């Protein structure tokens, strides 16, 4: 079975035989797959009236476990956005009734962001929809192939995920 990357690589090999284009065989497929995943995720989230960034914040709180709350700093760490962006996101989610701000009992100046019942339900439903989409994407692979691919991708991504700072 040939794909678009095979055609791209063949063209580069023809046009630039002096270059080793082997990395394109893996990383161009990863890039194309990322675009397809982004579309599938947007579809899964839109069915639950959520934007991808809303899903990211809500599920960070949901994964925190009962009482489903984190400080804005903890949310920053998990979602990799700036402080100003996070403040804006919390404001928008609070306006929708999906999160609430509470005083931090351990820091009089601090706040905690807590998932509301509506926010938890929306996150849970969107996650179920997302997993159904992703299962369909992976349906062509056996369990062993999925495990092997996950291990290989972990090997590539771990150095990026473990950079200090």
């Amino acid at each position: 079975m040939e794909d678009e990357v095979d055609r791209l690589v063949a063209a580069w090999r023809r046009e630039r035989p002096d270059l080793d284009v082997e990395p394109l065989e893996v990383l161009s497929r990863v890039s194309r797959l990322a675009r397809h995943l982004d579309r599938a995720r947007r579809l899964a989230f839109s069915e639950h009236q959520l934007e991808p960034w809303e899903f990211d914040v809500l599920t960070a709180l949901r994964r925190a476990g009962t009482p489903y709350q984190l400080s804005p700093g903890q949310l920053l760490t998990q979602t990799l956005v700036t402080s100003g962006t996070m403040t804006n996101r919390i404001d928008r989610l609070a306006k929708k009734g999906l999160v609430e701000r509470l005083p931090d009992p351990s820091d009089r100046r601090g706040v905690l962001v807590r998932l509301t019942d509506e926010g938890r339900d929306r996150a849970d439903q969107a996650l179920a929809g997302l997993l159904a989409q992703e299962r369909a994407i992976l349906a062509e692979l056996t369990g062993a192939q999925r495990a092997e691919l996950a291990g290989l991708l972990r090997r590539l991504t771990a150095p990026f995920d473990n950079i200090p700072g």
Side-chain angles (χ1 to χ4, degrees):
M1 175 184 344
E2 186 177 71
D3 67 2
E4 186 59 29
V5 174
D6 289 322
R7 291 183 281 279
L8 179 145
V9 167
W12 278 122
R13 284 188 172 136
R14 181 187 69 242
E15 294 299 316
R16 292 295 310 269
D18 57 311
L19 294 177
D20 175 10
V21 296
E22 182 186 20
L24 295 176
E25 294 193 55
V26 173
L27 299 178
S28 290
R29 285 186 175 94
V30 169
S31 178
R32 291 177 64 79
L33 181 58
R35 281 184 243 138
H36 290 298
L37 288 173
D38 185 56
R39 286 188 197 125
R41 286 176 169 217
R42 286 181 183 280
L43 176 62
F45 302 151
S46 70
E47 290 173 358
H48 301 284
Q49 296 80 47
L50 291 175
E51 293 293 326
W53 66 265
E54 292 173 313
F55 179 82
D56 289 346
V57 175
L58 296 178
T59 55
L61 292 165
R62 180 66 170 98
R63 288 189 311 269
T66 303
Y68 310 114
Q69 65 188 27
L70 295 169
S71 71
Q74 290 169 309
L75 284 169
L76 287 173
T77 300
Q78 292 193 29
T79 60
L80 301 174
V81 298
T82 65
S83 176
T85 298
M86 183 53 67
T87 298
N88 180 275
R89 289 179 176 186
I90 293 167
D91 289 345
R92 291 170 66 184
L93 289 168
K95 192 178 281 187
K96 286 183 159 187
L98 301 176
V99 303
E100 59 185 346
R101 282 187 173 90
L102 303 168
D104 185 341
S106 63
D107 178 1
R108 290 189 320 194
R109 296 174 300 159
V111 296
L112 293 173
V113 180
R114 180 182 293 166
L115 202 54
T116 64
D117 289 343
E118 168 72 15
R120 188 183 70 239
D121 290 345
R122 193 89 66 90
D124 285 349
Q125 292 167 7
L127 177 62
L130 172 64
L131 292 173
Q133 289 270 0
E134 291 185 350
R135 266 191 290 284
I137 289 168
L138 294 171
E140 293 294 315
L141 301 177
T142 67
Q145 289 170 324
R146 288 191 304 269
E148 180 182 11
L149 181 58
L152 292 169
L153 291 171
R154 181 181 305 108
R155 227 173 145 169
L156 286 177
T157 59
F160 294 102
D161 289 344
N162 296 310
I163 295 173

